[in-house]
Amino acid sequence: MRYFPFGRAALSILALAVTSGGWLALQPKPKHHATLTYWTFATTHYDSYKKIIPEFERQNPGVTVDLELVSLNALASRMQSAMLADLDVPDLFEVEIGQSAALFRGPTKDIGLVDLGPRLHAPGPDGTPPLWDRVVHARFAPYTNRGHIYGLPHDIHAVQLAYRRDIFEKAGVDVRKIKTWDDFVQVGRKMTIPGKQYMMEMSDSDATVLEPMLFQRGGGYFDADGHVIMDNEIAVQTMCWYVPLVAGPHKIGDSVGYFGQVQTKAVEDGYMLCYICPDWRSKNFENDVSHMKGKMALMPMPLAAPGGNPTTSWGGTMLGFTKHNNHQDLAWKLAMFLYLDKSQLADRYRSTNILPPVKDLWSDPVFHERRAYWSNEKIGDSYIRLAPNVPAHYSNPVIQTATDKLSQALVDCVHYYNTHGYVDHGDAQFESYVRSRMKMRADEVRAMARRDSY
Amino acid sequence: MSNILATRPAIKAASGTGPRGRRSPSDKFAPYLFVSPFLILFAVFGVWPILHSLILAFYHTNGPKSQVFAGFDNFKFLFADPDFHTAVWNTLVFAFWSVVLQIPFALGLAILLNQRWLRGRTFLRLAFFSPNLLGQVFVGVLFSVLLAPQYGLVNKGLHALIGLPLDTKWLANPALVMPALILTSLWLYVGFNMIYFLAALQAVDKELYEAAMIDGAGPWRQFLAVTLPSIRPVAVFVLVTTTIGSFQLFELPYIMLNNSAGPDNAGLTVVMYLYNNGFVTGNLGYASAVGWTLAIGVLLISLAQMRMTGAWKAEAK
């Protein structure tokens, strides 16, 4: 210890630190083994891709695909952090519709995603028409920003109403006679037993069901240019119509949450009889409330007015391609394989119930099968009939703020309705309140949107 | 005395000074060398991000690459934004009730579980502390099921006991969200704070109680005159950490309210507001401004608490 006066222990620690640090520093940088990295947040997507990716790798010798399942919220955060730091960005990723627009902030040149416009408009292989002509156009709307398309839609998610067929039949209700929401509300008043049974799953505190109703009527949060329209006349009228259905003495809707065990129990007990049901949710019902097999059925959404839109949409997923990727052609090939390859369609549809957005694929027999769970109906047929009518969901980076503000406006209006009495004070007064409240909430979104100067 | 003198040369030798009391150059650098790994890591992963976030707070960040200097604009917008006001108000209400309820409950439990006559004390201590082993996310999921309308255990129990409607929506009624969060956090943290008080109670000099009893002090007088002054440093610590923890509230409402701020933003806290703006909307500059405002706010409140509780005077004595 002549040259190191601090003792053996200190020398040992120092030696250990230097050795381990040196060993780590000398390690070769881990090479990214996979040719392509693909992130998804949906377990159903992950499971179906996992099965078919080996086939893609077999068809493309030397190519490997690293498929990762990342949680819904973590995915958006990780994408933003990864783009900020230029680290660990996947080559392709799927992101939920409500989280996609946040990735389109800032100057166009700085957006970390590839503009898919040129590929979508290019003719397909073997003389097939451009993909743009094959996909339901409305589904590009949420992924379009300043004229650039940054996402390939995974789905359409047209909406029907799932209902407890057994309870309706027992009550002598013929759902074929329900054509408009007025008809629906009339039946709902008869079927609702306060505290025990409600006609429909509708919330008085969040806009989860209000939102698809708004889209069905041609409204929305933003117009095609990204301007806030959530306080326009359509929105005001939708809110005025919706609030008495979830508040006051004649309410016909209630909610216990849209997923999980509590919701499962509510479906089983017939606490609510009808549910907003896009294609993806029909699979949730099959999985989560499996012993309702044969007792559930689907009906088209009632019309807001004769001649109105028979459907709306709820949810969505886009596939994005990052600029970081050095194999753009290969990534596109993988996307086409996962989304369009006919040999994989049947498996994927049966495991997810999700109708692809490419119209020419709908002729496949798998989309016309009868489903025992849904009282032996051809549910694919009915979703296909509605698919061309799904409304466009235009977006903006502050979409999350807008959805929160719509919920807040709903809570405000429900509170007013409960405390002031809609009938006593007359429609005009309530409508005036709704209008002012929605403008206030929309202005808050506008203030937030103005801060993104691009 | 002789013992003390005998140890002096040894101390001198260990201190590394040379025969004339001077340090050799290697001796001077040695301490810095030993602490340098920590200092380097702390500078890179602690100090630099903090400083960078301070710089970022004065920029508009549009997307991952674009930053435009904005002066105090982020702070101006922040103080004018009604959602920020809601978040601050909710956080203050939560912090107030957390402190007001948690400290007396924790202290009461600690006193109870410090009694020798109580059977099963060890088990009860573990039982009350155990919620803290679960973590906020798990507790959030658990309570969102317990508090569910129609089917939740809480509603079923309260319906049976006092006739509360089964469809009471604890997490969907703006007026009930905050009580639900406060009660959940009480269940989660009261046992944790109890441990601090228990340790402090066990360190109180028993002779003080004996002296108080001889002077004729009853249990309540003993509590006021002996127990409270003796555990004051720990009480101040618990008060400050509970307040700081309350201002950092995020996971519990985020999970319980299904990744949202709840109805009418009734569960929106300052940290959730920061998260939504930074990581959902992607405006990191604005989120940094929120973070710094929160940090300064917490610092001021903690300083005020320490001043009001006389923590510094006690320290000076």
Side-chain angles (χ1 to χ4, degrees):
Chain A
M1 299 313 295
R2 192 173 159 189
Y3 299 106
F4 196 82
F6 306 106
R8 280 185 187 148
L11 181 65
S12 310
I13 292 168
L14 188 63
L16 202 62
V18 169
T19 313
S20 56
W23 181 78
L24 282 173
L26 291 173
Q27 288 302 301
K29 273 191 172 178
K31 283 184 181 170
H32 217 279
H33 295 299
T35 322
L36 294 170
T37 307
Y38 192 114
W39 286 3
T40 183
F41 65 90
T43 315
T44 47
H45 299 194
Y46 177 83
D47 291 342
S48 82
Y49 300 158
K50 196 81 189 164
K51 280 186 212 159
I52 61 178
I53 278 177
E55 175 58 21
F56 178 78
E57 290 172 336
R58 198 189 58 74
Q59 289 176 14
N60 297 274
V63 172
T64 50
V65 180
D66 178 15
L67 179 69
E68 288 183 33
L69 182 66
V70 182
S71 93
L72 177 67
N73 292 317
L75 193 143
S77 304
R78 277 180 65 180
M79 277 307 301
Q80 291 199 25
S81 309
M83 284 183 175
L84 192 71
D86 264 342
L87 289 169
D88 200 23
V89 182
D91 300 306
L92 304 96
F93 67 100
E94 290 182 340
V95 67
E96 204 264 336
I97 192 168
Q99 297 177 326
S100 57
L103 299 166
F104 312 149
R105 285 171 59 88
T108 305
K109 67 177 175 52
D110 289 342
I111 293 173
L113 305 178
V114 175
D115 177 7
L116 302 179
R119 282 190 190 273
L120 291 169
H121 288 100
D126 311 325
T128 50
L131 198 56
W132 173 256
D133 296 334
R134 299 167 62 198
V135 173
V136 177
H137 284 179
R139 296 308 282 171
F140 284 113
Y143 317 129
T144 302
N145 187 281
R146 286 164 279 177
H148 302 281
I149 303 169
Y150 295 109
L152 190 63
H154 172 267
D155 41 54
I156 299 175
H157 294 338
V159 168
Q160 303 190 72
L161 293 187
Y163 68 98
R164 282 289 301 271
R165 187 187 54 78
D166 55 334
I167 297 178
F168 274 178
E169 281 184 2
K170 203 173 165 189
V173 174
D174 182 358
V175 296
R176 286 170 303 181
K177 289 181 181 166
I178 299 175
K179 301 288 184 199
T180 65
W181 280 111
D182 286 343
D183 301 337
F184 183 87
V185 172
Q186 249 180 357
V187 174
R189 301 254 193 258
K190 287 177 197 158
M191 296 298 288
T192 296
I193 307 163
K196 288 189 175 168
Q197 179 174 287
Y198 289 94
M199 179 65 171
M200 185 162 166
E201 179 188 49
M202 297 170 106
S203 172
D204 61 354
S205 59
D206 68 70
T208 308
V209 175
L210 173 63
E211 182 189 293
M213 301 290 192
L214 182 61
F215 280 113
Q216 187 192 15
R217 285 159 173 77
Y221 296 109
F222 305 98
D223 64 13
D225 298 321
H227 300 130
V228 178
I229 57 162
M230 56 182 278
D231 56 346
N232 66 9
E233 196 54 29
I234 296 173
V236 170
Q237 293 308 324
T238 306
M239 184 69 89
C240 287
W241 168 80
Y242 182 90
V243 170
L245 303 182
V246 293
H250 305 298
K251 74 173 198 172
I252 61 164
D254 199 15
S255 170
V256 294
Y258 304 96
F259 307 98
Q261 293 160 328
V262 176
Q263 201 252 2
T264 298
K265 185 86 174 85
V267 178
E268 286 170 359
D269 288 0
Y271 182 68
M272 292 160 297
L273 303 177
C274 298
Y275 301 83
I276 287 273
C277 189
D279 49 5
W280 59 267
R281 205 180 189 205
S282 68
K283 179 52 75 178
N284 282 16
F285 280 110
E286 289 177 22
N287 291 338
D288 299 344
V289 207
S290 54
H291 61 274
M292 286 289 108
K293 185 177 175 180
K295 293 179 180 175
M296 301 286 290
L298 290 165
M299 65 170 157
M301 275 183 91
L303 306 175
N309 193 342
T311 192
T312 179
S313 68
W314 181 16
T317 299
M318 76 160 225
L319 175 62
F321 297 71
T322 58
K323 285 179 180 169
H324 160 91
N325 174 16
N326 294 323
H327 309 280
Q328 294 292 348
D329 289 336
L330 193 62
W332 184 257
K333 200 173 172 185
L334 174 63
M336 294 302 102
F337 179 80
L338 295 179
Y339 277 34
L340 306 180
D341 192 274
K342 288 193 173 178
S343 65
Q344 317 301 332
L345 272 183
D347 264 1
R348 210 175 68 230
Y349 177 68
R350 287 191 189 113
S351 62
T352 62
N353 281 6
I354 295 174
L355 189 69
V358 181
K359 292 175 272 189
D360 49 66
L361 298 178
W362 299 343
S363 56
D364 193 286
V366 73
F367 298 115
H368 308 279
E369 290 172 349
R370 290 189 183 278
R371 289 294 179 87
Y373 185 88
W374 296 101
S375 304
N376 239 13
E377 287 175 11
K378 293 179 180 178
I379 64 165
D381 270 356
S382 49
Y383 281 116
I384 286 170
R385 270 198 303 277
L386 297 169
N389 298 306
V390 291
H393 290 213
Y394 297 108
S395 201
N396 180 302
V398 295
I399 178 74
Q400 192 59 53
T401 307
T403 55
D404 291 346
K405 293 295 170 189
L406 185 64
S407 292
Q408 276 185 269
L410 171 63
V411 172
D412 295 341
C413 296
V414 164
H415 180 71
Y416 183 93
Y417 184 85
N418 280 334
T419 50
H420 288 72
Y422 182 55
V423 179
D424 292 343
H425 290 268
D427 296 7
Q429 195 172 339
F430 180 63
E431 190 176 312
S432 164
Y433 178 81
V434 169
R435 198 179 302 282
S436 70
R437 230 41 206 180
M438 294 195 75
K439 182 173 183 325
M440 187 188 103
R441 296 304 182 190
D443 284 345
E444 288 169 5
V445 182
R446 288 186 184 102
M448 195 59 95
R450 269 198 296 273
R451 292 171 57 74
D452 189 352
S453 46
Y454 294 92
Chain B
M1 192 69 180
S2 60
N3 280 344
I4 293 170
L5 288 173
T7 56
R8 279 187 123 181
I11 292 168
K12 202 173 180 183
S15 69
T17 50
R20 292 182 186 176
R22 284 184 191 166
R23 287 166 179 265
S24 66
S26 64
D27 292 346
K28 281 182 188 169
F29 289 117
Y32 300 107
L33 188 70
F34 279 111
V35 295
S36 61
F38 165 75
L39 287 179
I40 292 167
L41 289 174
F42 182 65
V44 173
F45 295 106
V47 178
W48 169 240
I50 289 171
L51 289 178
H52 188 64
S53 75
L54 181 61
I55 296 166
L56 213 54
F58 295 94
Y59 280 83
H60 281 306
T61 51
N62 296 297
K65 305 286 178 193
S66 162
Q67 293 181 4
V68 181
F69 184 71
F72 283 93
D73 191 57
N74 283 332
F75 292 95
K76 275 188 211 163
F77 187 84
L78 177 69
F79 288 113
D81 186 14
D83 284 354
F84 181 68
H85 300 164
T86 306
V88 171
W89 175 250
N90 289 342
T91 308
L92 285 172
V93 169
F94 180 84
F96 174 79
W97 284 107
S98 293
V99 169
V100 165
L101 292 175
Q102 264 187 46
I103 292 180
F105 269 105
L107 181 56
L109 268 179
I111 291 170
L112 184 69
L113 297 183
N114 198 35
Q115 303 302 319
R116 289 179 184 278
W117 51 262
L118 188 72
R119 282 187 181 181
R121 280 189 307 166
T122 312
F123 171 77
L124 288 171
R125 284 173 190 171
L126 176 69
F128 282 110
F129 180 75
S130 59
N132 205 261
L133 302 172
L134 297 175
Q136 289 196 30
V137 173
F138 184 85
V139 172
V141 173
L142 186 71
F143 271 78
S144 61
V145 177
L146 287 173
L147 294 167
Q150 210 66 28
Y151 303 103
L153 201 62
V154 172
N155 275 4
K156 292 216 167 189
L158 291 175
H159 179 70
L161 285 173
I162 57 170
L164 195 81
L166 274 176
D167 59 357
T168 303
K169 291 173 180 165
W170 290 93
L171 303 176
N173 180 341
L176 296 179
V177 167
M178 194 48 73
L181 289 176
I182 291 166
L183 289 174
T184 307
S185 118
L186 191 68
W187 183 81
L188 182 57
Y189 290 118
V190 83
F192 183 71
N193 288 327
M194 175 198 77
I195 295 294
Y196 284 113
F197 283 121
L198 205 52
L201 287 171
Q202 286 170 357
V204 178
D205 191 347
K206 301 286 179 289
E207 288 177 6
L208 293 174
Y209 288 109
E210 286 166 14
M213 277 201 302
I214 292 166
D215 287 346
W220 180 241
R221 189 69 203 157
Q222 283 178 38
F223 174 73
L224 291 178
V226 178
T227 309
L228 271 187
S230 302
I231 64 165
R232 186 171 168 166
V234 171
V236 171
F237 173 79
V238 171
L239 177 71
V240 172
T241 52
T242 303
T243 308
I244 293 174
S246 303
F247 275 88
Q248 292 172 340
L249 181 71
F250 173 68
E251 296 98 320
L252 210 56
Y254 190 69
I255 298 295
M256 286 173 71
L257 301 169
N258 197 19
N259 303 350
S260 78
D264 204 19
N265 279 345
L268 182 71
T269 64
V270 177
V271 179
M272 197 188 286
Y273 180 79
L274 184 157
Y275 172 81
N276 285 343
N277 281 289
F279 298 102
V280 177
T281 307
N283 194 342
L284 290 175
Y286 187 58
S288 299
V290 179
W292 273 95
T293 308
L294 174 66
I296 292 167
V298 169
L299 181 69
L300 291 177
I301 288 173
S302 301
L303 290 176
Q305 277 182 334
M306 291 177 79
R307 189 182 169 84
M308 283 190 291
T309 50
W312 286 321
K313 284 179 193 167
E315 204 52 36
K317 282 174 192 174

